[in-house]
Each structure stands twice: as structure tokens, then as C-alpha cells.
Amino acid sequence: MRSYGKGAPSSRWEHFPHGADAGVRGFGPTVAQAFEQAALALTGIVTDAKIAEQGAVKVRCEAPDIEQLLVEWLNAIIYEMAVRNMVFGRFQVALNGTRLEAMMWGEPIDQEKHTPACEPKGATYTMLRVAQDEDGTWSAGCVVDV
């Protein structure tokens, strides 16, 4: 398992093993921050390189519940990475119920700089969980098909 902290003291992300796929999970004091950290975990599947904030992309998505919203969010990131040939390293998420608006900052993929490890194909419902733990920390994660 690979884990990294970035942001608020209790904000962090991790990868967890799942067969040939990759598990991503974000943690934070709010649901929005857990979603941001899950997005960083998704980026961590692609590259370990530092990502410059050369461009910003706005994303909106909606789902019937908060867990499905996580899948929609991660798939929106995967879509934007593919169509824009970019990788993102900073995320700012705002939630209004099961509606999400976010800004993502990143740069065009550079094969030498980023040495992409793999290309995520899509977030799945496998091991999907968005919940608040006993200590108040929110977690948001699922398995990503790679």
C-alpha cells in the first residue's frame, strides 16, 4: 500500500492492491477534501512526477448519491486527462448535495518528465465507499480499472 499526505493535517491519499487493477482512496476532514485526495491518488497511478499548474479545467458532475458521485468525479478526471492529454496535480472540489463543481490544475503529459506508469481506464463500483470514520475523518475510494 502506498500512502501520501498533502493538504490539511488529516488529508492524505493511498493506493491499495486489487488484482490487476488499482485501488484509490482519499481521506480528509470533509467529503470534498476526501474527493480531492482520491483525485490525487488517481494521479499517483499515472505518475510520481511533480505536476506544474500550467492550465486549469473546470468539471461538473452529478449523481443520485455520494458514492456514485465519487465514481462520476474520478471518471470525469480520466476523461479530461485523455481528451486534453494532460495530467492534473491539484484539485479544488465544492459539493452541494450530490452535485460537484471542481477546478483541476495540471500540465500536458510529457513522456520524459512524467514517465506514465499506466493509463487509468475508468473508476468502478468495486470496493466503492464514501463514509465518515469514528474519528470524523471522511474517506472516499474505489477500484480503478487500469
Side-chain angles (χ1 to χ4, degrees):
M1 186 176 314
R2 197 168 114 193
S3 182
Y4 294 90
K6 185 176 181 181
S10 61
S11 295
R12 64 185 169 85
W13 62 266
E14 69 182 17
H15 292 148
F16 59 89
H18 187 270
D21 295 325
V24 297
R25 193 176 294 126
F27 300 90
T30 67
V31 178
Q33 288 173 315
F35 273 45
E36 291 168 1
Q37 294 296 313
L40 288 170
L42 178 63
T43 297
I45 291 172
V46 178
T47 185
D48 286 334
K50 181 165 175 46
I51 299 165
E53 294 181 20
Q54 295 179 0
V57 175
K58 188 172 191 172
V59 171
R60 291 185 179 116
C61 45
E62 188 173 352
D65 63 52
I66 197 73
E67 288 185 327
Q68 290 180 54
L69 185 60
L70 176 66
V71 172
E72 293 295 321
W73 163 234
L74 296 176
N75 282 331
I77 297 166
I78 291 166
Y79 172 81
E80 295 296 339
M81 285 192 305
V83 300
R84 296 176 187 274
N85 197 33
M86 289 180 74
V87 63
F88 300 97
R90 186 163 74 94
F91 303 88
Q92 184 177 19
V93 171
L95 295 173
N96 182 2
T98 58
R99 290 185 177 149
L100 178 146
E101 286 194 20
M103 289 299 295
M104 312 185 307
W105 291 267
E107 66 180 313
I109 293 176
D110 177 328
Q111 295 295 324
E112 285 186 33
K113 176 182 178 181
H114 300 118
T115 50
C118 70
E119 183 177 343
K121 296 177 186 141
T124 72
Y125 291 97
T126 304
M127 298 183 73
L128 175 60
R129 181 176 185 266
V130 177
Q132 191 171 27
D133 299 332
E134 288 181 16
D135 69 357
T137 301
W138 282 91
S139 63
C142 67
V143 171
V144 175
D145 183 20
V146 293

